[in-house]
Amino acid sequence: MKFILKIRHVAPYLIFFILLLVNFDSQAVASESCKGQKNAINVDTEQHRLWICQEDEKIGEFKVSIGRGGIDKRKQGDKKTPLGEYSLGKPRPSSHFGIFIPIGYPTPVQKAKGLTGSDLGIHGPYRLFKWLGRFNTWFDWTQGCIAVGTDKEISEIAKWVKEHNGSRILIK
């Protein structure tokens, strides 16, 4: 019984320490993910993170959802998020997601290899569920796009993309 009481007193500190370690680890990955990136958005599909990189520095970080089919898109309708480097189009209003930023998938080389797909982008939460906020990124639900949890987040990303015309996205 004394052992259980001791664990009860130590558990909050242990949880805090673990969260602190996880936070330091994610900061290290974030700083590494922006090395060599002048103006780019980097997405780590394993960590479900999107970083805005400018002049080798992380200036924004967001939790994201990806395609419910996973990664490595090959064909239209597979619900997968593509991997690779792509151009970013001009952000535009979306009745379904608030703001939609087109991703240039597939590239001409990918088209020549037979890869198909369209209407992929970075976007905000689905309008019916926008009230959930960041809970929107707790599971993968998109058709292959990259979604952030709030309108404020997608607005911030869209503003940066508009200011950095010709920016790219690297999805790994």
Side-chain angles (χ1 to χ4, degrees):
M1 189 68 163
K2 286 183 180 182
F3 178 72
I4 292 172
L5 289 174
K6 286 182 182 180
I7 288 178
R8 284 178 123 177
H9 293 289
V10 174
Y13 298 105
L14 186 59
I15 291 169
F16 175 76
F17 180 71
I18 291 169
L19 290 173
L20 195 60
L21 284 176
V22 168
N23 189 37
F24 280 129
D25 186 40
S26 112
Q27 287 177 357
V29 170
S31 65
E32 285 297 314
S33 72
C34 286
K35 289 220 187 286
Q37 300 295 323
K38 183 174 175 157
N39 290 325
I41 291 180
N42 286 353
V43 176
D44 185 321
T45 57
E46 188 175 312
Q47 289 194 23
H48 289 79
R49 293 277 176 206
L50 178 151
W51 295 283
I52 299 175
C53 301
Q54 187 172 315
E55 305 298 335
D56 290 334
E57 296 291 325
K58 173 191 83 162
I59 63 165
E61 178 177 353
F62 307 91
K63 179 140 177 45
V64 296
S65 289
I66 60 172
R68 68 177 126 181
I71 56 172
D72 203 18
K73 183 165 199 61
R74 296 283 171 203
K75 62 181 180 166
Q76 179 81 27
D78 64 8
K79 297 179 176 67
K80 293 183 178 186
T81 299
L83 298 175
E85 186 173 346
Y86 305 97
S87 62
L88 287 170
K90 183 179 176 184
R92 64 179 189 240
S94 167
S95 61
H96 294 294
F97 307 111
I99 297 174
F100 185 86
I101 306 167
I103 293 175
Y105 172 88
T107 65
V109 171
Q110 289 172 323
K111 282 182 185 177
K113 291 180 179 179
L115 276 64
T116 60
S118 62
D119 296 325
L120 288 175
I122 306 168
H123 59 69
Y126 188 64
R127 299 291 80 195
L128 290 175
F129 300 107
K130 74 178 188 172
W131 58 272
L132 286 171
R134 293 196 176 142
F135 290 116
N136 283 302
T137 59
W138 279 23
F139 60 94
D140 294 332
W141 58 271
T142 75
Q143 300 292 311
C145 294
I146 297 161
V148 293
T150 68
D151 287 344
K152 182 180 178 192
E153 292 171 336
I154 192 61
S155 293
E156 186 177 329
I157 295 166
K159 180 181 177 197
W160 185 86
V161 170
K162 285 178 187 174
E163 290 172 358
H164 296 87
N165 191 19
S167 53
R168 307 201 45 85
I169 185 168
L170 175 62
I171 308 168
K172 57 183 180 170

